[in-house]
Amino acid sequence: MAEILQKDGTWTFDGDTIRIVPGRERGAHPLRQTLGELAVPLGAVAGVAFEPARRGGRLRLRLRDGSDPLTQAARGRLPEAADPYQLAVEQDRTGVAEYFVDEVRHALLLEQLPDGPTDRYLLPGPAVPLSVSAGDGTASFDGERVRLEWNWVTAEGKKSAGTRVLPVADIASVEWQPSAGLENGYLRFTVPQAPTNAPPKHDPHAIELFGFKKDPLMALVAAAVIARLPHPSAAGTARSAGAAQSAAVPPGAPAPGAPKALEGTLPAGPAAPEQGDPAADHDTLLRRLRELGELRHTGILTDEEFAAAKQAVLRRF
């Protein structure tokens, strides 16, 4: 178990899941407080890093492309204070942050998890119902319909069209764009049955954003809708082919592509290199961890045998 508690929030890792709880201080960004606690499965993690600074540093979690609806909606455009996958670390907790990073990295290495794009969402997205008021309107989403309502700053032409109700089935895509410089941002829904080339100020399917603090909250609405749209990945065909190939392998046989040195039954719980063995260097130990992960995934080692062998190797680091 690895845990780091900060004013900015708390991150906990139990070997399978990273739990992120936002800080409750006044300075905590409303997006993180609205989003609430997150449970990030290890399979959704592409990497983790601690970036030291003059006073403390910042812990960053990088997710696999396509694994998280919020990351899909924001595309790296959230301000640091609003990003739930960043944690401000105080100066006296930098050692804890580095330990947390080591624990997650070791788990990723042992489990041999891919870090490439996913073909489905591994996180559920923001909870619904959800309603956000910012810019020239209010966007609400109950899980089935998006409701767009206008306020006193809405352009007259868009306001005259009245409140818009968009079923998820009618939405082809959704885009959140924050304000940048003199350019206003927007939350826009693409509706094929009613296409328009109008700018967000006049688009009845868009809310124009003016660069205020609540604007990033509109990314939550976008993420909640994205979670209910078809996944953007086109890797389904390749994945199905891989599954068919795996099904053709006889029970107990090594997985396709397994190293030849591992093809065959090895003694349960392989031992780590002996003390003083010239091969017992860092690279050899890392390679041994990868081999153990492969043996576990192919069924040659049981979970108990894998755990015992893993601990023996880790003691050599």
Side-chain angles (χ1 to χ4, degrees), residues 11 16-20 35 38-49 59-76 78 83-86 100 104 108 113-118 120-125 223 231:
W11 287 19
D16 296 312
T17 303
I18 299 174
R19 298 195 177 276
I20 299 175
L35 186 59
L38 292 173
V40 182
L42 187 63
V45 177
V48 61
L59 196 58
R60 295 181 188 267
L61 190 66
R62 183 169 59 87
L63 302 186
R64 296 170 61 190
D65 289 343
S67 65
D68 175 39
L70 178 58
T71 304
Q72 190 79 16
R75 296 190 176 277
L78 286 175
D83 191 340
Y85 303 115
Q86 297 189 32
F100 189 95
V104 175
L108 289 171
L113 297 172
D115 59 3
T118 65
R120 61 187 178 90
Y121 293 119
L122 303 180
L123 282 88
H231 193 276

Side-chain angles (χ1 to χ4, degrees), residues 297-313:
H297 283 296
T298 55
I300 295 175
L301 290 182
T302 66
D303 288 343
E304 292 77 12
E305 293 167 339
F306 170 76
K310 177 186 71 174
Q311 290 303 320
V313 175

Side-chain angles (χ1 to χ4, degrees), residues 75-213:
R75 296 190 176 277
R77 294 170 297 189
L78 286 175
E80 285 190 340
D83 191 340
Y85 303 115
Q86 297 189 32
L87 180 70
V89 178
E90 298 165 24
Q91 192 169 12
D92 62 344
R93 290 292 183 270
T94 57
V96 179
E98 291 170 347
Y99 172 74
F100 189 95
V101 168
D102 288 342
E103 287 293 292
V104 175
R105 286 179 175 173
H106 280 157
L108 289 171
L109 179 63
L110 291 172
E111 295 296 333
Q112 290 290 287
L113 297 172
D115 59 3
T118 65
D119 62 355
R120 61 187 178 90
Y121 293 119
L122 303 180
L123 282 88
V128 294
L130 182 63
S131 183
V132 176
S133 296
D136 69 350
T138 298
S140 304
F141 182 52
D142 62 4
E144 297 180 357
R145 295 176 180 82
V146 174
R147 183 182 180 89
L148 303 178
E149 300 175 274
W150 316 116
N151 57 32
W152 64 278
V153 299
T154 308
E156 191 58 39
K158 185 161 72 171
K159 185 187 298 185
S160 64
T163 299
R164 310 295 293 182
V165 178
L166 308 175
V168 170
D170 293 346
I171 299 172
S173 64
V174 54
E175 181 183 7
W176 173 74
Q177 175 69 47
S179 301
L182 299 177
E183 295 291 329
N184 289 340
Y186 56 85
L187 173 68
R188 189 199 301 271
F189 299 91
T190 301
V191 183
Q193 294 90 335
T196 176
N197 293 322
K201 181 176 182 178
H202 302 290
D203 186 348
H205 301 142
I207 289 182
E208 186 179 32
L209 304 174
F210 305 136
F212 297 121
K213 188 174 183 179

Side-chain angles (χ1 to χ4, degrees), residues 220-244:
L220 295 180
V221 179
V225 176
I226 284 174
R228 291 158 176 82
L229 296 179
H231 193 276
S233 174
T237 303
R239 190 174 181 85
S240 298

